[in-house]
Amino acid sequence: MIKVNEHYNKLVSSYLFSDIASRVAKYQQENPDMEIIRLGIGDVTRALPRACIDAFKKGVEEMALDATFRGYGPEKGYAFLREKIALRDFREKGADIDAEEIFVSDGAKCDTANFQELFSRDISIAIPDPVYPVYLDSNVMAGRTGSFEEGRYHGIHYLECVGDNGFLPGIPDFPVDLIYLCSPNNPTGTVITREGLAGWVEYARENRALILFDAAYEAFIRDESLPKSIYEIQGAKEVAVEFRSFSKTAGFTGTRCAYTVVPRECRVFDESGSSISLHDLWNRRQSTKFNGVSYPVQRAAEAVYSEEGGIQTKALVSYYLKNAELIRTAMAELGFSFVGGDNSPYIWVDGNGRDSWDFFDMLLAGAGVVCTPGAGFGRCGRGYIRISAFNSRENVEKAMQRVADVL
Ligand SMILES: *Cc1c(COP(=O)(O)O)cnc(C)c1O
């Protein structure tokens, strides 16, 4: 008899987006003439930079000729891309990362979800609340948690991000083995400071723990005092893996390209306490289960580092940041308190005592605007909503005008 992985039965959070979709569908049915504005989904809306399209097309044409055709590429990604990443994203910014330490992939979602399989079933894990649900769900699927009760899985240490701590994860006063951090955070839009990150690195070193640092939104950091990479912190290379993506940075959500940094110095331990190279383990995993990103896509990603590509990518991010500023201004004028939106495309709005689904329904019914209820990102998100800056300027302006008119 073919039996299922029973751990999948514990998953609960998948209701969020289907629940939103059904509420939106019902509203549209009752208000057929209303043009709904979606500020809910974490997906970009603007076209790929021209430089990426040109490089993409050129890569496709190379596949059309025997002389330039490429078959399987290196599992870690082509050197032309890894070398640019190492130089431009790290070494020029003071972080000593080598091209050999970069693993190009088809997404930070897969990498953040897959990484946990390198570790023992019985490690202790700390995950921020609220946060991107992938970290939690992938560990649930792997059987590292107990059942779900009152909005929490047994066996996970939740790092509560609430008003009292500036919506930033606090360092536990007991040891854990694996820590997920997301900065700039999805959904709160908050960024961990340099001192904060240094504290985490010190904690991980003391406890022989590992930090999985998701920097998918680093391109949105414009405040130069804030760290974009965990490797800007001394000593981080031994205790941290960093995930990055071209998805939100350069509009690659549908094109698929990302990368993960696993430094040579990074160590994990076996039963007897002997150290093992994490880099070699991830390399082993990827070469068995992954066959690389397509050649034209890697050429398109490489174009992000060209002169025009850099200008166009920066303009893309600035466009969304301007939307975020409009949302911040509108929320402030309405008297809401919020965080994020200054170094992030997300604004995390306090419902002021309202339940997050009530807040969601109010914006939908009153203004035809769709946001994301904070409860979908964890128990600490219950009184909040996430508003996303990923839409056209026109739609953001219209949405904020409508919200101001009803409130
Ligand atoms: C969007 C997002 C990602 C992932 O992206 P890919 O498109 O899979 O590269 C990773 N982490 C967070 C927090 C995100 O919001």
Side-chain angles (χ1 to χ4, degrees):
M1 182 172 72
I2 177 69
K3 291 188 185 171
V4 297
N5 176 350
E6 295 283 348
H7 302 304
Y8 276 59
N9 295 338
K10 298 175 195 159
L11 294 167
V12 285
S13 53
S14 56
Y15 296 123
L16 175 70
F17 287 100
S18 56
D19 211 349
I20 292 173
S22 68
R23 288 183 197 218
V24 172
K26 182 165 174 280
Y27 172 82
Q28 187 75 87
Q29 210 165 30
E30 291 163 1
N31 303 272
D33 298 329
M34 188 66 170
E35 178 212 349
I36 294 170
I37 303 176
R38 290 166 205 274
L39 300 178
I41 316 163
D43 192 1
V44 296
T45 54
R46 301 198 71 208
L48 287 176
R50 190 72 234 171
C52 298
I53 291 293
D54 291 343
F56 203 173
K57 279 184 174 169
K58 193 159 166 274
V60 171
E61 285 301 334
E62 284 178 50
M63 299 302 260
L65 300 172
D66 290 346
T68 49
F69 167 80
R70 315 255 180 157
Y72 290 124
E75 283 120 355
K76 273 184 169 182
Y78 285 100
F80 62 76
L81 178 56
R82 285 186 291 112
E83 276 159 15
K84 292 211 175 61
I85 291 169
L87 178 67
R88 302 288 301 285
D89 287 350
F90 297 98
R91 286 208 300 282
E92 280 182 2
K93 293 177 175 145
D96 177 30
I97 294 294
D98 188 78
E100 281 306 302
E101 298 172 307
I102 312 282
F103 292 84
V104 174
S105 78
D106 59 354
K109 182 183 198 170
C110 339
D111 287 356
T112 53
N114 290 332
F115 219 87
Q116 49 74 32
E117 74 177 60
L118 302 184
F119 311 118
S120 161
R121 272 275 295 277
D122 61 7
I123 53 167
S124 56
I125 302 171
I127 298 181
D129 175 4
V131 85
Y132 186 57
V134 172
Y135 319 144
L136 187 58
D137 290 355
S138 55
N139 278 291
V140 174
M141 290 169 173
R144 286 199 189 83
T145 70
S147 57
F148 187 78
E149 273 168 58
E150 290 168 37
R152 291 269 159 103
Y153 288 98
H154 286 282
I156 294 288
H157 178 69
Y158 290 88
L159 304 167
E160 299 198 342
C161 303
V162 292
D164 287 346
N165 56 21
F167 301 92
L168 289 168
I171 299 174
D173 51 13
F174 51 88
V176 297
D177 305 314
L178 184 65
I179 302 129
Y180 288 85
L181 297 176
C182 180
S183 177
N185 186 270
N186 176 7
T188 65
T190 56
V191 185
I192 305 176
T193 63
R194 199 170 295 277
E195 300 69 49
L197 212 46
W200 277 110
V201 168
E202 190 187 328
Y203 171 87
R205 294 177 68 91
E206 274 170 14
N207 294 292
R208 297 209 281 181
L210 183 76
I211 298 168
L212 298 182
F213 188 72
D214 185 347
Y217 296 94
E218 59 76 32
F220 291 82
I221 298 179
R222 289 289 162 86
D223 177 345
E224 290 185 355
S225 70
L226 294 168
K228 284 173 164 260
S229 168
I230 196 166
Y231 306 118
E232 291 175 38
I233 309 298
Q234 200 160 16
K237 283 181 82 179
E238 284 92 345
V239 293
V241 168
E242 183 163 308
F243 303 95
R244 293 229 187 157
S245 174
F246 295 98
S247 284
K248 316 307 180 350
T249 308
F252 274 61
T253 52
T255 307
R256 313 305 302 146
C257 198
Y259 65 87
T260 291
V261 187
V262 190
R264 285 250 172 245
E265 292 94 322
C266 224
R267 290 278 176 268
V268 283
F269 303 90
D270 69 12
E271 207 60 58
S272 69
S274 307
S275 73
I276 293 164
S277 159
L278 186 63
H279 180 97
D280 292 349
L281 275 185
W282 184 243
N283 195 34
R284 187 73 186 80
R285 191 268 173 208
Q286 288 299 78
S287 48
T288 297
K289 297 195 178 183
F290 184 60
N291 246 340
V293 176
S294 87
Y295 172 73
V297 169
Q298 292 192 59
R299 283 296 186 194
E302 182 194 20
V304 166
Y305 302 98
S306 67
E307 199 181 330
E308 325 81 80
I311 294 166
Q312 292 160 3
T313 306
K314 201 162 180 197
L316 205 52
V317 172
S318 297
Y319 181 92
Y320 295 126
L321 281 171
K322 177 71 189 171
N323 284 349
E325 196 185 309
L326 293 174
I327 298 167
R328 282 168 56 92
T329 305
M331 291 299 121
E333 278 170 3
L334 291 168
F336 284 108
S337 35
F338 58 86
V339 289
D342 42 0
N343 293 285
S344 153
Y346 299 124
I347 296 93
W348 187 242
V349 186
D350 188 339
N352 216 351
R354 266 186 215 95
D355 167 78
S356 65
W357 279 106
D358 292 343
F359 202 170
F360 171 91
D361 286 334
M362 181 181 79
L363 293 184
L364 181 61
V369 171
V370 181
C371 64
T372 312
F377 299 99
R379 197 164 81 184
C380 291
R382 278 178 181 172
Y384 297 83
I385 55 161
R386 184 191 74 177
I387 304 181
S388 159
F390 292 130
N391 211 314
S392 66
R393 180 86 77 247
E394 191 194 351
N395 278 346
V396 168
E397 282 169 350
K398 208 189 285 176
M400 291 305 112
Q401 189 56 53
R402 285 195 204 159
V403 171
D405 290 346
V406 298
L407 292 177

